[in-house]
Amino acid sequence: MTTTYALLLRGINVGGSRKLPMAELRPLLEDLGHGEVRTYLQSGNAVFTTGGGAGEDALAAEIEEAIEARFGFSCDCLVRDHAYLAAVAEACPFPAGELEGKQLHAVYYSAPVTADRFAAVDAGAFAPEAFALGDRVMYLHTPGGLGRSRLAEAVLRPSLNKGVVATARNWNTVRKLVGMTAG
């Protein structure tokens, strides 16, 4: 059975460093035996199919290793299937249909995170910005956009995200990846 996955790369092609052209990522994934490889934007989103029973973590580790071997730097990767991506979109506690894509983000995590991790953040002090946790995801509502968000700065601090990989996507990208993995 073939499964369609989204690959989310963290921290590439940002500010002129860690360049990983999507045109070079596609053949890398194909060389690993994956099919129907497509990329979305230059910020590290790809979709591919694969057979066999490799899980998301094993696929991510394989791709991380291949990226380091080919490009000479490490890059954290998350791999998620369509069912997960669709469930994240469906479970959004914010009115996604009423917001611009830049106002809502999904921060995908490599493992579950709990409210305890963010207990030091006084979420009320950042209103109208807000966040909510889901299944290995944080929903982040930033009416002024992520780049200007004080709440995003607070919850995405490395000290609060120790031990997990976290990578954010705006809601336009969330919806696009759901569609691309729908098969």
Side-chain angles (χ1 to χ4, degrees):
M1 182 171 156
T2 301
T3 304
T4 304
Y5 292 97
L7 168 64
L8 309 171
L9 296 117
R10 183 180 173 278
I12 59 136
N13 299 337
V14 179
S17 65
R18 295 168 31 105
K19 294 277 190 190
L20 198 161
M22 296 297 99
E24 294 179 34
L25 178 63
R26 287 188 294 272
L28 179 139
L29 293 172
E30 290 166 351
D31 290 348
L32 293 173
H34 305 306
E36 299 180 47
V37 178
R38 295 164 284 153
T39 56
Y40 179 65
L41 302 176
Q42 291 298 314
S43 55
N45 305 288
V47 171
F48 63 91
T49 60
T50 195
E56 293 173 343
D57 292 341
L59 289 167
E62 171 191 58
I63 295 166
E64 288 172 357
E65 214 172 273
I67 288 171
E68 186 159 14
R70 176 132 346 141
F71 297 99
F73 59 82
S74 63
C75 175
D76 291 324
C77 298
L78 297 178
V79 174
R80 298 292 183 257
D81 69 14
H82 170 74
Y84 172 81
L85 295 170
V88 164
E90 181 67 29
C92 181
F94 299 106
E98 300 171 19
L99 300 171
E100 293 179 44
K102 71 175 188 170
Q103 295 177 309
L104 184 58
H105 292 77
V107 181
Y108 295 100
Y109 288 95
S110 58
V113 293
T114 64
D116 294 345
R117 183 179 288 263
F118 305 99
V121 177
D122 177 9
F126 298 97
E129 298 181 346
F131 75 95
L133 298 175
D135 175 20
R136 296 177 294 160
V137 68
M138 173 190 290
Y139 300 95
L140 191 53
H141 177 226
T142 58
L146 195 65
R148 296 183 180 147
S149 171
R150 290 185 22 229
L151 177 61
E153 186 178 316
V155 297
L156 297 177
R157 285 192 317 253
S159 61
L160 291 183
N161 291 287
K162 225 174 228 178
V164 293
V165 174
T167 187
R169 298 296 185 272
N170 72 36
W171 208 252
N172 291 335
T173 300
V174 169
R175 284 192 290 242
K176 183 69 172 180
L177 292 174
V178 169
M180 289 176 73
T181 57

